[in-house]
Structures are given as structure tokens and as C-alpha cells.
Amino acid sequence: MKKIILLLLCIGLSTNGYTQNEDEKQLKKIYDQALTDGQAYDWLNYLSNQIGGRLSGSLQAQEAVDYTKAQLDSLGLDRVWLQPVKVPKWVRGTPEFAYFETSPGLSTNVPICALGGSIATPLAGIKAGVVEVQGIEDLQKLGKAKIEGNIVFYNRPMDPTVISTFASYSGCVDQRYSGAEEAAKYGAVGIIVRSMNLRLDDYPHTGSMGYGDTPASKRIPAAAISTKGAELLSTTLKLSTDTQFYFKQNCKQFNDVDSFNVIGEIKGSEFPNEIMVVGGHLDSWDLGDGSHDDGAGCVQSMDVLRLLKVTGYKPKRTIRAVLFMNEENGLRGGNKYAEVASGKKEKHVFALESDAGGFTPRGFSFDCSDENLKQVHSWKSLFEPYYIHLFEKGYSGADIRPLKSDDMVLAGLRPDSQRYFVHHHAENDTFEHVNERELELGAATMASLVYLFDKYGIVK
Ligand SMILES: [Zn+2]
């Protein structure tokens, strides 16, 4: 037995069948290339600083489609194409304005922004009393008598004791998404939501909201207030319960428009019909330039194809970088991609999304079988030199989830999340907040996982 193990080690095979030495070398090549000659940061610079925020249906979103397609074209891939998808078009309009008033003429301005999908206020704005709540469940306790004719102010903060800030976000985001729909049932005239941000600052954070089946005539405008503004308003309400709040916004929903997912592909040499996807979403909110959310995920996904190519790796399976359109306010791109894949009976075996910011990668979360997770764990030591240690079950990504099937692996890149919600959907989600090395390490980490799954396949 000893002799066999020795022999396996000599020819570079570990006892579990993996060619450890070869894999170590390939990962090192990928990381070295990303850190010395990565393209992700340059691409992001262009997307962020030359194009800017890329809200679905905007001119910038189309420019981002054209730019990323041209860049993928330049990589010498086997195929690059645009996949048509209809997307919603919502426009913010002129900057929003808000203040609260403790007595006539004594007012304090506070930073707000309309939530994506909200209706406008009447032209002259809305002024009403404020009912502060800690969540949707408080509405029922207060009842129509206390809410009708007022503005509901949702002020439950993100829980700072939760280490995964995404979990903390999940614990709050119902206020933003469903707050208006629920408050309208009690006769509220508008809602203000505390921004989903763990830091106290002056940036309001937008994000999608929905009205459910509320008829158009019953819909009420919804805005986010900065965390500092929320604290100030809450303190003021304790001192002066008859404080009035005024806000004005003139956002508008237009008809759906034509847009595209952008796709680049390297054809598999052995199993071309087995498809592996790596992706991010090309659209972003309009307040910043969408560098972390999710320009980072797009340029990393593009760089995965390039890194595999320039390190001389020939994939056995077909590998696609997919830049999904309209994750933020509709998920039309993700749904369209899955719909076309199923229409063409394409066999997707793996999908990886990067949509958690361009910060230092820690690992991945997996939506897959126990066997596949075990397979990943057998590669743990390969990632150790890069401080990549998180390999656990969990959420993958919004755009790739529609592809889900029992026999495929869905994965999400998990970067350090502590700073993400400082920037998420706000004016300060900008290029200077992305660190070049952190971004490149993310691309290399993604490329490494793609390489391993391509080389060894998905165990059944
Ligand atoms: Zn995102």
C-alpha cells in the first residue's frame, strides 16, 4: 500500500484522485496572472467612470452592453453574442427634496431618494404627520385610526451584531420592498424607510420596492432616508409628536424597452454540451456608478474567461460569462437566460455569480448537494495559500437561481461583507471604493473554482 501511495505522490496524484501538484500550479498561474496583468480593474474603470450608473432601460445600460460586448469580442473567444430581453424603465427625474417641520417655519432638511419603482408625489409634494414604526407588523397594532392620512416611517435598523451583513440586510429589507404596499392598506399617504446601511451617514440608499396588487389609484410614494436623517427624525418625533414631514419626488415608470444580456463563451473540448456559467449583473442603480453592485461581478466574470485562456487552460466544458441585465428592478435578464436555456434544452451543470461587491474574497456559498459540497471541501487546501476558507451551503445569486436544477451546482462568491452596505445602492457606490487587488483576487478565486469544476466535473 505504502508503495502505491508513494507512486501516486511521485506522479503528482493525491490519493483522492486529484492531481494536486498540477492544480496547485494552475491556481498559482491564475492568481499570478490576475494580480500582475488582470483586466478587471481597467474594465471597471471604464464602466464606472466613462459610462456610470446603468439603470435598466437607460442610455448608460445600452452603452455598457456595447462596451462589454466589444471587450469580450477582443478576447478571441469562440462566441460572443447579445441575448435580447425586455426590461422595465423607471426614471428618477429631478432630485428629491425633503424636510421635517417641528413648528411652522422651523424646518430641517433631510437627505432622501425615491425607491426604485415608486410613484411620484403630487407636483407640490406631500406634507403630513409621521407615524414611526419598527416594521410592517407594527401597522396592525396601530390600526387605521392612527395611520390614515399620515406618512409611515419605517425605522428598524440593520442588526449590527450579525456578522454576515447580508443576513442583517435580509432582516430589514421587507420594510423597503413591501412597506408602501402594506401602509397603503391603512390609509397612509406615503412612506419613508430608513436606509439599509449599518453606518450613520448622509447617503440615502435606494432599492427596489413593489406595490403587489395595489390598484394604481391606491399607490403611495416611497422614499429612503439616510441613516443620520432617520436618527434625527426619530429623536425629533420623541420630543415633538406633531412633527410634519414634507417630501417631493417626480420619478416615473415608462413602458418596457429592449435590452440585452451579454454573453461570451469558450467552447468545451470534451463535453461541449455541458455548460458552466460565471456571471454578474450589468445594470445598476442610478445614484452612484454601480462599481461594487455589480460592475465588479461583471468584470470579474469577464476576466475568468481571459484568465483561463491566457494561463493556457483548455476547458473540457463550455464556459460562459453572462452579464445579466435588470437584476435590480425586475430580474428579467436572469429569467430570460434560464428560459432560453430550457427552450434550447441546454444542459447547465454549474453556475457561479459574483454580486456581493468587489471586496477581498473569503470563499463561496453553495446551493448544491452534500456530495458536491464534499467535492468542494476536497479542494480546500488548494485555496489555503490565498486565504480562501469559506465553503458552505447558502444562497448563490439572484440571476443564476432561475437555472436551478437538482443536478447542478450553484455558487456565489463571498467577499468580506463588512463595508458592502455602506455603498450598496447609494451615491457612494463608486470606483474609488474598489481596491484593485481585492477585485483581482476575486476574479482569480472565481476562475480557480471554475477550473476545478471543469477539470473534475460535477460528482453525482
Ligand atoms: Zn447586485
Side-chain angles (χ1 to χ4, degrees), residues 281 293-294 327-328 355 420:
H281 64 88
D293 187 13
D294 183 25
E327 187 270 348
E328 295 292 2
D355 184 18
Y420 187 60

Side-chain angles (χ1 to χ4, degrees), residues 61-324:
Q62 184 55 43
E63 285 173 356
V65 166
D66 296 339
Y67 172 69
T68 50
K69 178 172 184 299
Q71 293 306 308
L72 286 170
D73 275 332
S74 74
L75 297 182
L77 306 173
D78 294 316
R79 194 178 161 217
V80 177
W81 73 102
L82 300 182
Q83 182 175 69
V85 55
K86 283 259 188 240
V87 296
K89 181 181 169 82
W90 177 85
V91 172
R92 183 173 301 284
T94 49
E96 302 82 345
F97 177 66
Y99 63 80
F100 61 79
E101 191 178 76
T102 44
S103 59
L106 197 62
S107 66
T108 305
N109 292 2
V110 280
I112 66 152
C113 67
L115 294 182
S118 173
I119 61 165
T121 57
L123 214 55
I126 287 178
K127 192 173 181 184
V130 185
V131 178
E132 179 179 341
V133 296
Q134 291 297 300
I136 288 167
E137 47 296 342
D138 284 355
L139 300 177
Q140 204 186 357
K141 287 180 221 154
L142 289 165
K144 205 166 184 174
K146 293 210 169 112
I147 297 171
E148 194 159 36
N150 286 309
I151 291 166
V152 169
F153 166 38
Y154 291 97
N155 194 30
R156 182 169 82 255
M158 285 173 71
D159 183 348
T161 66
V162 178
I163 301 305
S164 160
T165 61
F166 281 87
S168 184
Y169 174 71
S170 299
C172 274
V173 74
D174 63 322
Q175 301 176 101
R176 188 194 79 204
Y177 192 81
S178 307
E181 180 188 354
E182 295 304 319
K185 293 177 186 164
Y186 294 87
V189 294
I191 68 150
I192 298 293
V193 186
R194 181 192 183 99
S195 287
M196 309 285 130
N197 177 6
L198 280 152
R199 187 174 79 171
L200 283 181
D201 63 28
D202 293 319
Y203 297 108
H205 293 228
T206 191
S208 64
M209 55 85 65
Y211 288 110
D213 49 16
T214 313
S217 62
K218 294 259 162 58
R219 294 180 181 184
I220 58 174
I225 183 169
S226 71
T227 46
K228 263 192 184 172
E231 290 289 302
L232 191 60
L233 178 59
S234 181
T235 308
T236 306
L237 285 167
K238 284 184 185 77
L239 300 170
S240 169
T241 48
D242 56 354
T243 297
Q244 298 269 299
F245 193 88
Y246 171 88
F247 75 115
K248 182 171 153 48
Q249 56 191 33
N250 68 348
C251 39
K252 194 175 170 187
Q253 190 81 47
F254 290 85
N255 290 334
D256 290 356
V257 299
D258 292 325
S259 189
F260 303 94
N261 292 327
V262 183
I263 307 172
E265 176 182 284
I266 301 174
K267 212 127 220 69
S269 56
E270 279 183 49
F271 313 106
N273 295 330
E274 291 190 14
I275 298 165
M276 297 177 64
V277 163
V278 54
H281 64 88
L282 196 49
D283 65 306
S284 77
W285 284 106
D286 54 335
L287 297 173
D289 62 33
S291 282
H292 277 297
D293 187 13
D294 183 25
C298 289
V299 296
Q300 286 173 327
S301 299
M302 291 161 70
D303 218 19
V304 167
L305 297 189
R306 196 193 60 89
L307 289 168
L308 294 176
K309 236 178 124 65
V310 299
T311 54
Y313 181 67
K314 297 234 173 321
K316 298 177 183 177
R317 292 164 177 81
T318 292
I319 307 200
R320 282 183 190 164
V322 183
L323 315 182
F324 297 94

Side-chain angles (χ1 to χ4, degrees), residues 361-366 387-391 412-415 445:
R362 302 285 199 211
F364 302 93
S365 54
F366 292 92
Y387 300 158
I388 303 299
H389 64 274
L390 195 82
F391 302 95
L413 180 72
R414 288 287 153 253
T445 304

Side-chain angles (χ1 to χ4, degrees), residues 365-426:
S365 54
F366 292 92
D367 184 357
C368 68
S369 68
D370 293 343
E371 290 71 45
N372 291 140
L373 191 66
K374 233 188 254 171
Q375 185 182 15
V376 171
H377 281 171
S378 73
W379 300 327
K380 258 183 154 176
S381 64
L382 290 168
F383 285 99
E384 260 165 30
Y386 311 101
Y387 300 158
I388 303 299
H389 64 274
L390 195 82
F391 302 95
E392 56 184 30
K393 286 241 182 143
Y395 182 69
S396 54
D399 296 289
I400 58 172
R401 236 192 97 80
L403 282 172
K404 187 176 164 66
S405 72
D406 287 343
D407 50 1
M408 75 179 285
V409 171
L410 295 177
L413 180 72
R414 288 287 153 253
D416 184 273
S417 75
Q418 301 313 318
R419 285 169 290 157
Y420 187 60
F421 289 95
V422 170
H423 304 282
H424 184 244
H425 299 177

